Amino acid sequence: MYQPNYDELVQSWNKTLAVLALIAEVPVALVMKIENNIISVFSKNDNQANPYEIGDSEELEDSGLYCEHVVKTQNLLNIPNALIDDDWKDNPDIKLNMISYLGLPICAGDTTPFGTICILDSKPHEYNEPIIKLLETIKQSFETQLKLLHQQKQAFEQQQFTELATLIRGIAHEINTPLGNCITTVDVTKLALNDTKSLLVKKQLSQQALQNTLDTLDTLENTNELLDRNLTACAHKIRILQDLLYTKPQSSKTVITLAQLSESLQEHLKEQIKYRAIKLDINYQNPHSQFEVEIELLKQVLIILLQNSMEHAFNNIADPAIEINIFNFDEVLKIHYKDNGNGISSTELSSIFTPFFKGSNNQSGLGLGLSIAKKIVSQQLQGDICVQESDAGAHFLISLPK
């Protein structure tokens, strides 16, 4: 299930709350989040006088907290001095010397309650209209950000559903064909043997019927070969699907120079094209600069790109060529993979990494190679791979954080 990444949001809200507390002249500004009857500190201003820490939590129901009232009423709560207020003089925040409170409810992106935004003071405080308006404005800003996160979640889940549906259709198509061949083969053999057995039991087995059965038995060797071939095809397709669906243990990282990486890639990739008239160039700068990389996983990705070029890009290309340019920046390693093949149409750019995707001119293979490359780069190498628009051929960019 998709879980929003709140890290950047918390950091941004912390800064906003710091400004709010400064303008309101209070020691504490908080965003409280509720989940399963637990209310916890989600975001806070950085102030030595703030006794609350992110992650501090309490049960919400019947807690007597200021925020419980705000959540239940979904209205503003303004308490200038709880010590002289019979309804609030015994609330739990008094123990932390927070005797004044101003808070508003915050709704999540799907309109369900998210929590509260509030400011507190250790002395009596009459909150004026500008401060209340400021709190309302910040509340609306935070709700807008939560709504955007919710929309991202919906878009992500819809994309996942679409990809899953495509995956299921692809699996059904790829597995059903060889399995169907196996079932047909078994049924034909079973029918011939059952017919012969029935005639034998009835003592009606003629010489011609027996000869037909013997002819069928003579073909069992071919039948077994057909079964073996199709079952092997099924097993192969399932292994490919496992590579797509499951993350393998990460290989060990290696500290390597650009020169060593280039040499390793040259040796590995040239083995793949030694029987093909394909020119391979690998270029780099600063040959002695070092970085850490999981070299075997990177080779696997580049082999997939290489195979993709060989199978689908070089039809009717007189002098096929592949160029790999490696750039070692301070925080990222960038690898540009280019071929001079037929290229990728603009209508296919957004779908090329989708499982079982086959372009308009590509009817061979499973259509899983680039999906697996995407999974390796994003999940195991913690990087990104994308297609760049190119005037000629295909251009892939791999970015690996260092």
Side-chain angles (χ1 to χ4, degrees):
M1 181 179 292
Y2 176 89
Q3 293 294 335
N5 185 351
Y6 286 125
D7 292 344
E8 291 186 7
L9 191 68
V10 169
Q11 294 176 15
S12 173
W13 285 12
N14 288 348
K15 295 176 182 178
T16 302
L17 293 176
V19 175
L20 171 62
L22 187 64
I23 294 174
E25 298 181 341
V26 296
V28 177
L30 304 172
V31 170
M32 306 294 292
K33 186 175 185 297
I34 54 172
E35 190 170 12
N36 299 327
N37 195 39
I38 299 296
I39 186 164
S40 60
V41 179
F42 179 79
S43 179
K44 54 166 279 190
N45 66 310
D46 187 11
N47 189 318
Q48 289 184 347
N50 187 340
Y52 302 92
E53 298 292 340
I54 291 179
D56 289 350
S57 61
E58 298 282 349
E59 289 192 10
L60 183 64
E61 190 67 26
D62 298 327
S63 64
L65 294 169
Y66 301 123
C67 289
E68 180 187 8
H69 179 85
V70 174
V71 170
K72 287 184 174 180
T73 63
Q74 288 294 293
N75 287 315
L76 172 75
L77 179 61
N78 186 349
I79 303 173
N81 186 354
L83 297 178
I84 60 174
D85 189 324
D86 289 339
D87 293 330
W88 295 103
K89 64 183 180 180
D90 295 322
N91 85 84
D93 288 299
I94 297 293
K95 297 176 183 178
L96 298 175
N97 200 31
M98 294 294 116
I99 64 172
S100 71
Y101 175 93
L102 180 69
L104 282 167
I106 296 179
C107 287
D110 57 356
T111 72
T112 59
F114 178 86
T116 66
I117 178 172
C118 57
I119 53 178
L120 301 96
D121 203 345
S122 56
K123 62 182 184 298
H125 198 133
E126 294 285 346
Y127 298 102
N128 57 33
E129 191 64 23
I131 294 300
I132 295 174
K133 290 295 184 184
L134 176 61
L135 192 68
E136 290 174 345
T137 301
I138 295 174
K139 157 197 159 73
Q140 292 169 0
S141 173
F142 286 1
E143 287 180 335
T144 299
Q145 294 174 57
L146 290 172
K147 186 174 182 179
L148 288 174
L149 275 179
H150 179 67
Q151 290 172 345
Q152 289 175 6
K153 174 184 177 182
Q154 288 181 313
F156 178 85
E157 291 177 345
Q158 179 60 41
Q159 179 185 1
Q160 292 293 95
F161 177 81
T162 301
E163 290 184 358
L164 179 60
T166 303
L167 185 62
I168 292 172
R169 287 195 299 269
I171 291 172
H173 174 74
E174 296 295 340
I175 301 299
N176 281 346
T177 300
L179 282 182
N181 291 338
C182 292
I183 292 170
T184 301
T185 302
V186 171
D187 284 345
V188 169
T189 304
K190 184 178 179 180
L191 181 62
L193 292 175
N194 285 343
D195 286 347
T196 303
K197 182 179 178 181
S198 176
L199 292 172
L200 185 60
V201 170
K202 296 177 182 178
K203 297 182 180 181
Q204 297 176 354
L205 183 60
S206 64
Q207 184 175 356
Q208 183 60 47
L210 180 59
Q211 185 61 50
N212 291 340
T213 301
L214 292 174
D215 291 342
T216 301
L217 292 175
D218 287 339
T219 64
L220 280 179
E221 183 176 354
N222 294 332
T223 301
N224 287 336
E225 290 179 2
L226 182 61
L227 284 171
D228 182 68
R229 185 167 62 251
N230 281 277
L231 289 173
T232 300
C234 285
H236 174 68
K237 294 174 190 296
I238 290 171
R239 281 196 299 271
I240 294 176
L241 292 171
Q242 286 175 330
D243 285 341
L244 177 66
L245 295 173
Y246 300 108
T247 300
K248 296 179 180 178
Q250 291 188 346
S251 62
S252 58
K253 291 185 177 181
T254 304
V255 177
I256 194 171
T257 66
L258 281 183
Q260 290 171 330
L261 174 64
S262 174
E263 182 180 353
S264 178
L265 292 178
Q266 281 273 10
E267 180 181 350
H268 204 67
L269 297 180
K270 279 195 171 182
E271 179 67 21
Q272 308 296 319
I273 61 173
K274 63 182 180 181
Y275 300 116
R276 304 285 294 268
I278 298 174
K279 181 182 178 182
L280 174 65
D281 284 328
I282 301 180
N283 307 304
Y284 56 90
Q285 297 176 340
N286 302 323
H288 301 297
S289 62
Q290 293 185 328
F291 56 93
E292 191 176 47
V293 66
E294 297 179 64
I295 185 67
E296 294 305 320
L297 291 178
L298 179 57
K299 286 179 182 177
Q300 188 175 348
V301 172
L302 290 172
I303 285 175
I304 289 173
L305 297 182
L306 184 69
Q307 290 172 338
N308 196 65
S309 296
M310 290 192 297
E311 292 177 10
H312 312 304
F314 292 143
N315 294 332
N316 302 318
I317 301 298
D319 299 305
I322 293 170
E323 180 181 352
I324 299 175
N325 297 310
I326 308 172
F327 298 92
N328 188 16
F329 298 105
D330 290 340
E331 297 182 356
V332 66
L333 182 74
K334 288 188 176 289
I335 301 173
H336 293 263
Y337 175 98
K338 303 177 183 178
D339 67 38
N340 65 341
N342 297 313
I344 304 167
S345 69
S346 57
T347 58
E348 296 174 346
L349 290 177
S350 61
S351 305
I352 196 165
F353 294 108
T354 303
F356 295 103
F357 174 77
K358 297 181 181 181
S360 56
N361 297 320
N362 172 17
Q363 299 302 321
S364 63
L366 285 176
L368 286 176
L370 291 178
S371 297
I372 295 173
K374 179 77 170 178
K375 183 188 78 74
I376 293 172
V377 173
S378 61
Q379 295 184 20
Q380 295 177 263
L381 295 175
Q382 302 298 307
D384 182 60
I385 181 172
C386 61
V387 185
Q388 305 285 293
E389 290 193 15
S390 177
D391 294 334
H395 180 185
F396 292 88
L397 172 60
I398 302 171
S399 302
L400 302 179
K402 296 165 62 176

